[in-house]
Amino acid sequence: VEDVYRRLAQILKLELQIDDFNFFEANTVNGEIKAVHIEKEIRCDIFNTGCRADKTNTLIDSTQFKNVCPSYTSCEKVNYFCIPYSISNELDLIISIYTSTLAQTMKVRKISPYIKDYVDAAKTVLISKKLMHILEINAQTDVLTGLKNRKYLEDIIPKITSQAQRSNTFYGILILDIDYFKIVNDTHGHDVGDNAIRLVGQTLLDNIRESDIAIRFGGEEFMILLYNCNEKSIINVAEKIRLSFSQKDIPTNGTITIRKTMSIGVSMYPTDSNTLQECVKFADLALYKAKNTGRNRTIRFDKSLIKQ
């Protein structure tokens, strides 16, 4: 998608000789607007006040009506054209073009049909790329929790390995699951079990950074990849998650709530092994040790666990 917008920008600059413009995407479902190409600078408050051109589905020309757009507060020296294009039922593309001379303004008016032709030519590719991106995200996302899934982990391992080797970055690996989870399903039903799993997912997101990755590994088992961390911070995050989850109420089908605990196994890449896959296995061994020594605890992997 980025390549499509980059090529469209090149056409405006090289073929149509326009050098001051921006591209915005407008989601017609939730009203969200985001910049997808900034050639020079954003001159309006489009993200907070919205886009008049998109709302009215008409070209906005400040040379005809000086204060026509409330998002644009200053047009003393620069004129603006905002042109909306419908890409799909859920997506509009807004091209904002700025001019400072009469000659530039007249040129934009003259070539606006050509811009539409180029956008129309890009529509099919944009829709196809967007759909592929959505399908890829769905394939890598756990439906119940919204976290990444095991397929995402398999896809991201080569990238993480390359990054760690190139920049000497350390990753903390946490594998965790809910203690005695089968009892929840057997006693309260799978709906309550799903509530518990969702609550784990939310607890993870509440206690990690944007640079970290939370994954539903399978069933009631989860994994966290902590980016660029040390031994102390890994244990601190693990304990924070464990304690936080143990204090949260899991809703049942009745008026009561229940609480559960979790066990966590910890390893560190590349400290424990030079392969990420083996470090995942080591964290799983540590989790197994936590389960067999009382549960509701965090265990750091050490080499003695391999012999057990």
Side-chain angles (χ1 to χ4, degrees):
V1 172
E2 290 78 9
D3 287 340
V4 175
Y5 288 134
R6 194 177 300 114
R7 289 196 295 270
L8 187 58
Q10 287 295 319
I11 289 171
L12 262 65
K13 288 190 292 185
L14 301 180
E15 299 293 332
L16 304 180
Q17 303 297 309
I18 299 173
D19 60 4
D20 196 352
F21 59 88
N22 300 317
F23 299 161
F24 301 94
E25 281 186 353
N27 187 312
T28 61
V29 177
N30 60 23
E32 179 185 359
I33 295 177
K34 68 175 182 178
V36 291
H37 180 88
I38 305 301
E39 187 62 30
K40 288 193 175 180
E41 63 177 300
I42 298 176
R43 293 185 172 87
C44 67
D45 192 24
I46 189 173
F47 306 113
N48 294 317
T49 61
C51 177
R52 182 177 177 83
D54 188 53
K55 291 176 182 177
T56 61
N57 195 32
T58 56
L59 182 148
I60 298 298
D61 181 352
S62 68
T63 62
Q64 295 182 344
F65 301 97
K66 186 174 182 181
N67 298 313
V68 63
C69 181
S71 297
Y72 199 101
T73 57
S74 175
C75 55
E76 294 299 323
K77 297 182 180 179
V78 179
N79 300 312
Y80 57 88
F81 295 82
C82 290
I83 314 169
Y85 301 96
S86 177
I87 302 301
S88 67
N89 290 336
E90 298 82 22
L91 178 67
D92 290 343
L93 173 66
I94 305 159
I95 298 182
S96 295
I97 302 173
Y98 307 99
T99 63
S100 56
T101 67
L102 178 61
Q104 290 175 342
T105 299
M106 297 302 293
K107 182 177 182 180
V108 170
R109 287 177 180 166
K110 181 178 180 181
I111 65 175
S112 59
Y114 297 99
I115 298 175
K116 183 180 184 303
D117 289 343
Y118 284 118
V119 172
D120 286 342
K123 269 187 184 182
T124 303
V125 181
L126 276 173
I127 293 172
S128 174
K129 296 291 184 182
K130 287 281 185 182
L131 180 59
M132 290 294 292
H133 182 62
I134 291 170
L135 291 175
E136 183 179 3
I137 290 175
N138 289 342
Q140 296 178 338
T141 303
D142 175 60
V143 176
L144 186 60
T145 62
L147 302 181
K148 300 299 184 182
N149 61 18
R150 195 162 188 159
K151 183 183 185 306
Y152 175 84
L153 176 65
E154 294 170 356
D155 293 342
I156 203 69
I157 280 178
K159 181 179 178 180
I160 289 177
T161 302
S162 174
Q163 181 188 55
Q165 293 174 347
R166 184 177 64 252
S167 58
N168 196 31
T169 302
F170 291 81
Y171 279 86
I173 302 171
L174 276 58
I175 295 186
L176 54 97
D177 71 10
I178 304 171
D179 296 327
Y180 301 111
F181 180 70
K182 187 176 184 299
I183 295 176
V184 177
N185 283 334
D186 291 345
T187 305
H188 302 281
H190 289 277
D191 288 347
V192 178
D194 287 348
N195 290 341
I197 289 173
R198 289 190 194 94
L199 192 60
V200 173
Q202 190 57 55
T203 302
L204 302 189
L205 294 177
D206 289 343
N207 289 280
I208 62 175
R209 304 161 298 177
E210 289 188 8
S211 57
D212 303 326
I213 303 171
I215 299 166
R216 187 181 178 195
F217 203 52
E220 74 275 20
E221 195 170 61
F222 295 78
M223 175 189 292
I224 300 175
L225 298 174
L226 298 174
Y227 171 73
N228 196 24
C229 57
N230 55 43
E231 292 274 356
K232 183 178 179 181
S233 63
I234 295 173
I235 301 300
N236 287 342
V237 172
E239 283 294 278
K240 187 179 178 183
I241 289 170
R242 183 182 65 83
L243 292 172
S244 176
F245 178 71
S246 68
Q247 296 167 2
K248 291 187 175 181
D249 294 326
I250 302 169
T252 66
N253 295 323
T255 57
I256 65 170
T257 59
I258 60 174
R259 289 188 176 184
K260 298 298 293 183
T261 60
M262 64 170 57
S263 300
I264 305 177
V266 175
S267 69
M268 192 167 184
Y269 172 73
T271 303
D272 295 325
S273 172
N274 59 5
T275 68
L276 184 60
Q277 292 93 328
E278 192 167 39
C279 286
V280 171
K281 293 179 182 178
F282 289 164
D284 200 41
L285 286 175
L287 172 62
Y288 187 76
K289 175 69 176 291
K291 290 288 189 182
N292 288 338
T293 55
R295 291 179 168 81
N296 191 24
R297 60 181 58 195
T298 297
I299 296 292
R300 171 69 169 94
F301 168 79
D302 64 69
K303 293 183 179 179
S304 67
L305 296 179
I306 299 177
K307 302 175 184 179
Q308 297 181 8

